[in-house]
Amino acid sequence: MHAPLDSNAFSGIRARGIRAITLDLDDTLWPIWPTIERAERVLLQWLQTHAPATAQSLQTQTAVRAVRTEIVGLRPDLAHDLNGLRRESIRLALTRASDDPSLAETAFDVFFAERQRVELYEDALPALEFLAARWPLVALSNGTADVNVVGLGRFFHASISAHRVGVAKPDPRIFALAAQAAGVPAENVLHVGDDALLDARGAMDAGMHAVWLNRAGVDWAHGGASPSVTVASLAQLCQGLAEG
């Protein structure tokens, strides 16, 4: 069972002067794995028509993950570029199956278009409307979703993605870039995200305030100080900020 909302903790955050909010995307605004699995199915269907030998070689998740793992080892320069890793994984699979490797670009575009079709959590849109009306929002993601393509661009002042800036959460540099995009010091930024290490711990280490979105109600397991505020939903986040 989720803990009740701690209004005093939110009061403390507000008292320290929140002037902008950075917001994770995957598993914060929408569940990511159903999206990825659907995009991979669409990609496989495309390959069955245009590169059937490659499609045959990628029939199982084990095979798909094996190619991905190999590319991660071969291309350390793409460590923070999930788009690049996906594209080169497709290229490697095409090459191995003696299909045309130049198909990788179009195949990736097929995957990427489907990856942008997300299904928001029920509380996401009301939360975005509430937050964007009060603070500049900056999307801060290690993933490859584009808030403009997804249809949420109107809520965001800016968007910072690991594959574009070359560093990923929890690296303090990506949080610093998000604060710069918001135009405020890090100590006046509140970061909200679902990942205890990448989001909550990373934001605190970067000098930001953090709210951990813990939908599953799991224990904090990362040592050091835990976030001053943990919420079970974005609705609870908005409630706390409204009352804080």
Side-chain angles (χ1 to χ4, degrees):
M1 184 176 233
H2 293 300
L5 183 68
D6 185 348
S7 297
N8 291 331
F10 272 104
S11 296
I13 286 177
R14 291 294 299 274
R16 290 191 288 271
I18 298 305
R19 295 167 51 196
I21 291 178
T22 55
L23 194 61
D24 177 54
L25 300 177
D26 294 333
D27 285 331
T28 294
L29 298 182
W30 54 75
I32 184 55
W33 286 110
T35 304
I36 295 297
E37 289 168 0
R38 189 187 63 246
E40 288 182 340
R41 288 196 302 270
V42 169
L43 170 61
L44 186 61
Q45 290 167 2
W46 187 91
L47 290 170
Q48 286 169 345
T49 300
H50 300 278
T54 302
Q56 184 60 38
S57 73
L58 298 176
Q59 287 295 316
T60 68
Q61 284 298 313
T62 300
V64 172
R65 300 294 177 253
V67 174
R68 178 63 172 266
T69 299
E70 185 172 356
I71 282 295
V72 168
L74 291 172
R75 296 293 305 272
D77 57 307
L78 298 177
H80 303 309
D81 183 356
L82 297 182
N83 283 343
L85 287 171
R86 176 73 62 174
R87 185 183 296 106
E88 294 312 309
S89 295
I90 296 170
R91 195 184 314 278
L92 178 60
L94 288 163
T95 301
R96 291 267 174 83
S98 299
D99 284 322
D100 182 358
S102 70
L103 291 172
E105 302 298 330
T106 304
F108 172 77
D109 289 345
V110 169
F111 171 87
F112 188 72
E114 192 65 24
R115 190 259 186 267
Q116 304 303 305
R117 292 182 57 239
V118 299
E119 295 185 12
L120 298 176
Y121 287 118
E122 185 176 351
D123 58 4
L125 193 57
L128 287 170
E129 291 169 344
F130 173 88
L131 297 172
R134 291 161 176 81
W135 297 277
L137 298 185
V138 176
L140 180 55
S141 179
N142 285 358
T144 62
D146 184 319
V147 292
N148 294 302
V149 177
V150 166
L152 301 176
R154 67 190 182 278
F155 295 112
F156 289 94
H157 176 77
S159 179
I160 304 294
S161 298
H163 72 279
R164 292 196 180 100
V165 301
V167 290
K169 297 179 292 184
D171 192 310
R173 290 175 292 175
I174 196 170
F175 290 96
L177 289 169
Q180 291 171 18
V184 303
E187 60 264 27
N188 295 125
V189 177
L190 172 64
H191 180 70
V192 180
D194 73 286
D195 192 290
L197 177 62
L198 303 184
D199 289 305
R201 181 81 268 159
M204 290 188 292
D205 289 346
M208 292 181 175
H209 307 289
V211 170
W212 180 27
L213 175 61
N214 183 13
R215 294 185 186 273
V218 300
D219 292 333
W220 177 262
H222 295 284
S226 61
S228 56
V229 176
T230 298
V231 296
S233 68
L234 292 172
Q236 198 176 60
L237 168 72
C238 294
Q239 178 189 350
L241 291 173
E243 295 176 355

